[in-house]
Amino acid sequence: MSKLKIAIQKSGRLSEKSIKLIQECGIKISNGERKLKAESSNFPIEILFLRDDDIPQYVEQGVADIGILGENEVWEKDKKVIVISKLGFANCKMSLAIPKDEFYKDIQYFSGKRIATSYPIILQKYFDSKSIIVEIEEIGGSVEIATGIGLADAVFDIVSTGSTLLMNGLKEVEVVTKSEAVLISNTALSTEKQQILDRLLFRFQAVQNGNGNKYILLNCPIKSLDQITKIIPGMKSPTILPLANKEWCSLHSVVKEDEFWDVIDQLKAHGAEGILVVPIEKMVL
Ligand code: ATP
Ligand code: MG
């Protein structure tokens, strides 16, 4: 039986989360010493550990069937691959930054300027779309020091918190695009590999759904049950269990992670007590 070959980053910002996602899908991988390859003992998958720059090419050629990498690398390498889904981690912006004391009004500032970046393709497309001519200096890394050493007037790079820019006396002036980790695939998978991919996607989905949600349990007076179920409708409707005290009941439901603080305040206002919010490992809708 064939195995689905998945390429992930060997070491870097994506490695740990890529492995964690695979493991949370119940897929066992033995890779104590970080070799080039690892297999799973309980799922037809083989993992290839590569530099993220190489993943689009390998997936295009079919050396790997699928891969996990930052969407920024997919855009930059511009290979023929399919972006199957966003994975919700390694979120970052791709921004233009200039020395912090420079006056900045609008994007015309960059006309005729030299900009250092590791992402020349994305940057060129951006300025082409604005009909602005710039000079792009491609460099491999440490882009943020380029203005300080007189290599360029501005930089275009990945920004997450902006602290690296600040440390180098730069300010972010334009967010060109936003990126996050994505799953890509080869354009011509065999039927057998497509079936394995579908099984894997089903599991990814369950893990992702779980991550965005919390399981909530609480006790509330029966008289406020109507109001409380309106606040947390749950996946279909909340589970309501009787308590020994006939005037009270226990209610279980699912709330969105980013909404639960608001919800909790409203619940307390309606007399809910003993509120527990617990993580959900997986959720199949
Ligand atoms: P490799 O050795 O595999 O080529 P790399 O140095 O190119 O690694 P990393 O710095 O590990 O790459 O970043 C991998 C990806 O993580 C980036 O392409 C981007 O999608 C994402 N990312 C998220 N936040 C940041 C950040 N603050 N800085 C850099 N990359 C980030
Ligand atoms: Mg790289």
Side-chain angles (χ1 to χ4, degrees):
M1 199 174 112
S2 65
K3 290 190 174 183
L4 189 71
K5 285 178 281 180
I6 178 168
I8 65 172
Q9 194 188 23
K10 185 174 165 56
S11 71
R13 288 168 199 270
L14 301 166
S15 323
E16 217 173 285
K17 291 216 167 123
S18 304
I19 292 181
K20 185 164 162 260
L21 176 60
I22 293 169
Q23 286 173 335
E24 281 175 345
C25 291
I27 297 171
K28 289 192 190 132
I29 42 175
S30 52
N31 186 39
E33 66 272 42
R34 289 265 162 119
K35 293 169 293 193
L36 181 65
K37 275 192 209 174
E39 298 203 357
S40 167
S41 55
N42 63 354
F43 197 83
I45 201 170
E46 188 175 289
I47 299 165
L48 307 178
F49 299 93
L50 302 170
R51 282 202 59 193
D52 65 352
D53 306 58
D54 298 333
I55 295 177
Q57 183 185 339
Y58 284 168
V59 170
E60 182 188 63
Q61 293 171 343
V63 174
D65 300 305
I66 60 172
I68 295 178
L69 75 168
E71 197 164 19
N72 50 300
E73 285 298 340
V74 182
W75 293 321
E76 184 62 29
K77 297 299 182 284
D78 209 12
K79 301 286 180 194
K80 284 194 195 62
V81 295
I82 304 168
V83 174
I84 303 180
S85 68
K86 295 193 190 285
L87 298 173
F89 61 88
N91 294 70
C92 55
K93 297 179 279 185
M94 299 191 81
S95 302
L96 283 158
I98 61 171
K100 67 175 189 323
D101 297 331
E102 285 279 304
F103 172 71
Y104 184 81
K105 184 159 152 272
D106 59 28
I107 191 76
Q108 290 301 333
Y109 172 91
F110 291 100
S111 183
K113 292 272 198 303
R114 269 185 315 160
I115 310 171
T117 187
S118 310
Y119 296 95
I121 305 277
I122 298 173
L123 189 61
Q124 190 65 61
K125 280 189 182 157
Y126 176 72
F127 280 109
D128 285 351
S129 76
K130 306 266 176 202
S131 305
I132 293 172
I133 294 171
V134 296
E135 205 180 307
I136 296 176
E137 286 290 343
E138 181 177 355
I139 53 175
S142 304
V143 171
E144 63 284 351
I145 65 164
T147 58
I149 59 172
L151 178 72
D153 306 309
V155 302
F156 171 61
D157 203 4
I158 287 174
V159 177
S160 49
T161 59
S163 57
T164 311
L165 292 181
L166 277 181
M167 266 165 27
N168 288 282
L170 294 164
K171 61 179 176 189
E172 179 183 33
V173 291
E174 295 286 341
V175 178
V176 170
T177 183
K178 287 183 179 161
S179 170
E180 68 182 86
V182 290
L183 183 72
I184 60 167
S185 111
N186 178 270
T187 53
L189 290 186
S190 67
T191 318
E192 200 179 353
K193 287 189 172 176
Q194 186 63 50
Q195 280 167 354
I196 304 172
L197 175 58
D198 290 344
R199 283 172 62 199
L200 185 68
L201 281 175
F202 177 79
R203 296 188 186 193
F204 274 9
Q205 203 69 56
V207 171
Q208 275 181 282
N209 289 340
N211 285 344
N213 289 290
K214 298 276 175 202
Y215 194 74
I216 183 165
L217 306 88
L218 57 88
N219 293 333
C220 69
I222 300 264
K223 63 177 166 45
S224 20
L225 197 55
D226 277 354
Q227 285 120 310
I228 287 185
T229 49
K230 273 190 204 124
I231 303 167
I232 37 172
M235 286 188 282
K236 279 210 175 70
S237 66
T239 306
I240 294 156
L241 303 170
L243 290 182
N245 179 339
K246 294 274 180 295
E247 285 167 18
W248 282 71
C249 62
S250 168
L251 182 149
H252 299 193
S253 192
V254 173
V255 290
K256 287 248 171 300
E257 180 148 37
D258 49 4
E259 286 168 8
F260 83 87
W261 285 115
D262 294 346
V263 172
I264 281 173
D265 286 340
Q266 293 178 50
L267 296 173
K268 274 170 52 192
H270 284 98
E273 286 180 5
I275 304 172
L276 289 181
V277 176
V278 293
I280 296 174
E281 200 175 290
K282 293 173 188 78
M283 195 163 115
V284 177
L285 302 173

